[in-house]
Amino acid sequence: SRHFSSAAANEVDKADDVLEPSQIRNVAIIAHVDHGKTTLMDRILRECGANVPQERAMDSITLERERGITISSKYTSVYWKGMQMNVVDTPGHADFGGEVERVVGMVEGAVLVVDAGEGPLAQTKFVVAKALNLGIRPILLLNKVDRHSVTEQRCGEVESMIFDLFANLGATDSQLEFPVLYASAKGGWVSRTYTKGDEPGFDRTVAPLMDTIANHIPPPKGDLSSPFKMLISMMDHDAFMGRLVTGRINSGVVRLGDRIHGLRNVEGDASVVLEQGKVIKLMKKNGMATVLVNSAGAGDIVSIAGLAEPSIGHTIAAVDVTEALPAAAMDPPTLSMT
Ligand code: GDP
């Protein structure tokens, strides 16, 4: 448990938007195109998006309503049993700009959505390999189980294909103990056991997925009382606010008006300060909507306006921080499996 002296600059005001890391889950969704990622996200948003425990977020005027602004960076935040779940989209195939690493570097777990009829396809192997290497905990969701061609036996086969794939990609023992869920994203349900979802009284809900994310994926690590540091993973541009940088906060708390600077690692050298400035706007997601917040803490994903120079792979931090975060995970991938 933390304690603060009342004069400390890093004191956490519990009336603000800062969450304890234990209340946060950061999860990526990985799927081959057409395996049902969009349909699943839509169902998750429908069931969880409106249920917001954070009154501040509710009170915030959404930027869209204010003047048509959205953060295009691909993530959404939904609320489940008192937790905020940041769900990050991943490219479904190999890429050469390091996007997979950037995105997967923000999460502690991933839901691998696989069409149970088709099984795992080559294009997702690249993303899965990167995710396993970065230490994330996977959850397997076998989708389209409602289809006639998808039998319990077929699901068992796909499950062992995924196990072998993970093992071949060097998964750890704990990564190989992945939970398996059966789903019809189209039908709006997820189950822990194989079912066609057509028995009378069957509960069509994505709750088993949300519970599995809550219980199986660890909360982000991060100390709220350390100085603010964030590795920039995504970037947007807004006509009014200029550059918006998005990432998962590595440590500390960031507040509106805070003095911050951008830092960059230079090979074999100390970190270089790119620019000094102030936090002009802070934004989070509420479902699909972008909302203004006053503060955000370690482990959470936030977008910051105020600096024009720092970009993807750079660090944004409190001005007393002199060392950039390692951006090793940002190196462009060296292999392609497409
Ligand atoms: P994405 O490319 O992974 O985002 O896939 P979509 O969510 O767009 O789904 C691709 C197609 O599969 C669409 O026609 C969906 O209606 C269909 N689909 C998605 N989930 C299911 C499912 O659980 N069962 C069936 N039968 N079709 C599904």
mmCIF file of all heavy atoms in Angstrom, residues 277-301:
data_model
loop_
_atom_site.group_PDB
_atom_site.id
_atom_site.type_symbol
_atom_site.label_atom_id
_atom_site.label_comp_id
_atom_site.label_asym_id
_atom_site.label_seq_id
_atom_site.Cartn_x
_atom_site.Cartn_y
_atom_site.Cartn_z
ATOM 1 N N GLY A 277 7.408 20.955 -22.631
ATOM 2 C CA GLY A 277 6.099 21.574 -22.808
ATOM 3 C C GLY A 277 5.185 21.241 -21.647
ATOM 4 O O GLY A 277 5.644 20.868 -20.570
ATOM 5 N N LYS A 278 3.893 21.390 -21.904
ATOM 6 C CA LYS A 278 2.898 21.138 -20.871
ATOM 7 C C LYS A 278 1.815 20.215 -21.414
ATOM 8 O O LYS A 278 1.556 20.184 -22.618
ATOM 9 C CB LYS A 278 2.239 22.466 -20.457
ATOM 10 C CG LYS A 278 2.811 23.022 -19.174
ATOM 11 C CD LYS A 278 2.287 24.386 -18.780
ATOM 12 C CE LYS A 278 0.888 24.755 -19.165
ATOM 13 N NZ LYS A 278 0.479 26.030 -18.570
ATOM 14 N N VAL A 279 1.173 19.489 -20.519
ATOM 15 C CA VAL A 279 0.041 18.658 -20.932
ATOM 16 C C VAL A 279 -1.150 19.591 -21.186
ATOM 17 O O VAL A 279 -1.664 20.214 -20.258
ATOM 18 C CB VAL A 279 -0.321 17.608 -19.860
ATOM 19 C CG1 VAL A 279 -1.546 16.808 -20.286
ATOM 20 C CG2 VAL A 279 0.865 16.698 -19.582
ATOM 21 N N ILE A 280 -1.552 19.705 -22.450
ATOM 22 C CA ILE A 280 -2.643 20.610 -22.839
ATOM 23 C C ILE A 280 -4.000 19.907 -22.758
ATOM 24 O O ILE A 280 -4.996 20.481 -22.333
ATOM 25 C CB ILE A 280 -2.424 21.128 -24.283
ATOM 26 C CG1 ILE A 280 -1.062 21.798 -24.427
ATOM 27 C CG2 ILE A 280 -3.554 22.056 -24.732
ATOM 28 C CD1 ILE A 280 -0.870 23.048 -23.612
ATOM 29 N N LYS A 281 -4.006 18.640 -23.211
ATOM 30 C CA LYS A 281 -5.236 17.828 -23.143
ATOM 31 C C LYS A 281 -4.846 16.391 -22.857
ATOM 32 O O LYS A 281 -3.810 15.913 -23.329
ATOM 33 C CB LYS A 281 -5.995 17.846 -24.479
ATOM 34 C CG LYS A 281 -6.680 19.161 -24.807
ATOM 35 C CD LYS A 281 -8.137 19.131 -24.415
ATOM 36 C CE LYS A 281 -8.912 20.270 -25.070
ATOM 37 N NZ LYS A 281 -8.970 21.473 -24.221
ATOM 38 N N LEU A 282 -5.702 15.716 -22.078
ATOM 39 C CA LEU A 282 -5.540 14.282 -21.808
ATOM 40 C C LEU A 282 -6.816 13.593 -22.240
ATOM 41 O O LEU A 282 -7.912 14.075 -21.934
ATOM 42 C CB LEU A 282 -5.363 14.060 -20.303
ATOM 43 C CG LEU A 282 -3.986 14.182 -19.681
ATOM 44 C CD1 LEU A 282 -4.113 13.964 -18.174
ATOM 45 C CD2 LEU A 282 -3.012 13.189 -20.287
ATOM 46 N N MET A 283 -6.660 12.481 -22.933
ATOM 47 C CA MET A 283 -7.832 11.788 -23.445
ATOM 48 C C MET A 283 -7.757 10.302 -23.184
ATOM 49 O O MET A 283 -6.690 9.708 -23.254
ATOM 50 C CB MET A 283 -7.966 12.015 -24.949
ATOM 51 C CG MET A 283 -8.395 13.420 -25.306
ATOM 52 S SD MET A 283 -7.610 13.966 -26.835
ATOM 53 C CE MET A 283 -5.978 14.353 -26.227
ATOM 54 N N LYS A 284 -8.922 9.725 -22.893
ATOM 55 C CA LYS A 284 -9.046 8.279 -22.797
ATOM 56 C C LYS A 284 -10.213 7.850 -23.664
ATOM 57 O O LYS A 284 -10.886 8.685 -24.265
ATOM 58 C CB LYS A 284 -9.273 7.855 -21.332
ATOM 59 C CG LYS A 284 -7.994 7.936 -20.513
ATOM 60 C CD LYS A 284 -8.132 7.578 -19.046
ATOM 61 C CE LYS A 284 -9.004 6.428 -18.674
ATOM 62 N NZ LYS A 284 -8.874 6.056 -17.237
ATOM 63 N N LYS A 285 -10.444 6.535 -23.715
ATOM 64 C CA LYS A 285 -11.588 6.030 -24.461
ATOM 65 C C LYS A 285 -12.666 5.598 -23.482
ATOM 66 O O LYS A 285 -12.386 5.141 -22.372
ATOM 67 C CB LYS A 285 -11.174 4.831 -25.332
ATOM 68 C CG LYS A 285 -10.296 5.189 -26.519
ATOM 69 C CD LYS A 285 -11.075 5.926 -27.580
ATOM 70 C CE LYS A 285 -10.247 6.225 -28.812
ATOM 71 N NZ LYS A 285 -10.315 5.235 -29.855
ATOM 72 N N ASN A 286 -13.901 5.784 -23.922
ATOM 73 C CA ASN A 286 -15.050 5.244 -23.200
ATOM 74 C C ASN A 286 -15.885 4.550 -24.254
ATOM 75 O O ASN A 286 -16.595 5.206 -25.006
ATOM 76 C CB ASN A 286 -15.815 6.361 -22.511
ATOM 77 C CG ASN A 286 -17.030 5.844 -21.774
ATOM 78 O OD1 ASN A 286 -17.232 4.642 -21.638
ATOM 79 N ND2 ASN A 286 -17.860 6.760 -21.296
ATOM 80 N N GLY A 287 -15.753 3.221 -24.328
ATOM 81 C CA GLY A 287 -16.285 2.525 -25.486
ATOM 82 C C GLY A 287 -15.521 3.008 -26.698
ATOM 83 O O GLY A 287 -14.295 3.077 -26.678
ATOM 84 N N MET A 288 -16.233 3.423 -27.731
ATOM 85 C CA MET A 288 -15.594 3.952 -28.929
ATOM 86 C C MET A 288 -15.322 5.444 -28.823
ATOM 87 O O MET A 288 -14.584 6.001 -29.634
ATOM 88 C CB MET A 288 -16.493 3.703 -30.156
ATOM 89 C CG MET A 288 -16.700 2.248 -30.486
ATOM 90 S SD MET A 288 -15.205 1.504 -31.160
ATOM 91 C CE MET A 288 -15.299 2.095 -32.839
ATOM 92 N N ALA A 289 -15.935 6.095 -27.842
ATOM 93 C CA ALA A 289 -15.834 7.548 -27.742
ATOM 94 C C ALA A 289 -14.517 7.976 -27.113
ATOM 95 O O ALA A 289 -13.965 7.276 -26.270
ATOM 96 C CB ALA A 289 -16.998 8.083 -26.924
ATOM 97 N N THR A 290 -14.034 9.132 -27.535
ATOM 98 C CA THR A 290 -12.856 9.736 -26.920
ATOM 99 C C THR A 290 -13.331 10.731 -25.876
ATOM 100 O O THR A 290 -14.173 11.571 -26.170
ATOM 101 C CB THR A 290 -12.022 10.456 -27.998
ATOM 102 O OG1 THR A 290 -11.710 9.514 -29.027
ATOM 103 C CG2 THR A 290 -10.743 11.011 -27.420
ATOM 104 N N VAL A 291 -12.830 10.620 -24.653
ATOM 105 C CA VAL A 291 -13.269 11.519 -23.584
ATOM 106 C C VAL A 291 -12.079 12.250 -22.979
ATOM 107 O O VAL A 291 -10.973 11.730 -22.920
ATOM 108 C CB VAL A 291 -14.045 10.758 -22.479
ATOM 109 C CG1 VAL A 291 -15.360 10.211 -23.006
ATOM 110 C CG2 VAL A 291 -13.211 9.643 -21.886
ATOM 111 N N LEU A 292 -12.352 13.464 -22.529
ATOM 112 C CA LEU A 292 -11.318 14.256 -21.852
ATOM 113 C C LEU A 292 -11.246 13.824 -20.396
ATOM 114 O O LEU A 292 -12.272 13.608 -19.760
ATOM 115 C CB LEU A 292 -11.690 15.738 -21.907
ATOM 116 C CG LEU A 292 -11.716 16.377 -23.288
ATOM 117 C CD1 LEU A 292 -12.434 17.724 -23.228
ATOM 118 C CD2 LEU A 292 -10.304 16.540 -23.815
ATOM 119 N N VAL A 293 -10.024 13.673 -19.890
ATOM 120 C CA VAL A 293 -9.857 13.368 -18.473
ATOM 121 C C VAL A 293 -8.857 14.352 -17.870
ATOM 122 O O VAL A 293 -8.157 15.068 -18.601
ATOM 123 C CB VAL A 293 -9.382 11.909 -18.244
ATOM 124 C CG1 VAL A 293 -10.462 10.908 -18.626
ATOM 125 C CG2 VAL A 293 -8.092 11.623 -19.008
ATOM 126 N N ASN A 294 -8.824 14.403 -16.537
ATOM 127 C CA ASN A 294 -7.911 15.321 -15.850
ATOM 128 C C ASN A 294 -6.576 14.674 -15.525
ATOM 129 O O ASN A 294 -5.596 15.353 -15.279
ATOM 130 C CB ASN A 294 -8.547 15.800 -14.550
ATOM 131 C CG ASN A 294 -9.815 16.588 -14.802
ATOM 132 O OD1 ASN A 294 -9.879 17.359 -15.763
ATOM 133 N ND2 ASN A 294 -10.813 16.379 -13.981
ATOM 134 N N SER A 295 -6.581 13.344 -15.483
ATOM 135 C CA SER A 295 -5.374 12.642 -15.061
ATOM 136 C C SER A 295 -5.476 11.186 -15.464
ATOM 137 O O SER A 295 -6.560 10.687 -15.774
ATOM 138 C CB SER A 295 -5.221 12.746 -13.543
ATOM 139 O OG SER A 295 -6.419 12.316 -12.920
ATOM 140 N N ALA A 296 -4.334 10.515 -15.456
ATOM 141 C CA ALA A 296 -4.296 9.072 -15.738
ATOM 142 C C ALA A 296 -3.043 8.525 -15.065
ATOM 143 O O ALA A 296 -2.058 9.251 -14.868
ATOM 144 C CB ALA A 296 -4.276 8.801 -17.228
ATOM 145 N N GLY A 297 -3.090 7.249 -14.698
ATOM 146 C CA GLY A 297 -1.991 6.676 -13.928
ATOM 147 C C GLY A 297 -1.352 5.463 -14.563
ATOM 148 O O GLY A 297 -1.821 4.956 -15.594
ATOM 149 N N ALA A 298 -0.287 5.000 -13.924
ATOM 150 C CA ALA A 298 0.511 3.871 -14.411
ATOM 151 C C ALA A 298 -0.366 2.688 -14.808
ATOM 152 O O ALA A 298 -1.311 2.347 -14.110
ATOM 153 C CB ALA A 298 1.489 3.440 -13.330
ATOM 154 N N GLY A 299 -0.053 2.095 -15.945
ATOM 155 C CA GLY A 299 -0.775 0.924 -16.431
ATOM 156 C C GLY A 299 -1.899 1.266 -17.379
ATOM 157 O O GLY A 299 -2.326 0.418 -18.165
ATOM 158 N N ASP A 300 -2.376 2.506 -17.309
ATOM 159 C CA ASP A 300 -3.507 2.898 -18.148
ATOM 160 C C ASP A 300 -3.014 3.389 -19.514
ATOM 161 O O ASP A 300 -1.864 3.790 -19.663
ATOM 162 C CB ASP A 300 -4.308 4.003 -17.463
ATOM 163 C CG ASP A 300 -5.784 3.972 -17.835
ATOM 164 O OD1 ASP A 300 -6.154 3.230 -18.774
ATOM 165 O OD2 ASP A 300 -6.566 4.700 -17.199
ATOM 166 N N ILE A 301 -3.908 3.373 -20.483
ATOM 167 C CA ILE A 301 -3.599 3.875 -21.814
ATOM 168 C C ILE A 301 -4.227 5.251 -21.953
ATOM 169 O O ILE A 301 -5.394 5.449 -21.613
ATOM 170 C CB ILE A 301 -4.110 2.898 -22.904
ATOM 171 C CG1 ILE A 301 -3.321 1.582 -22.818
ATOM 172 C CG2 ILE A 301 -3.989 3.511 -24.302
ATOM 173 C CD1 ILE A 301 -3.793 0.476 -23.731
#
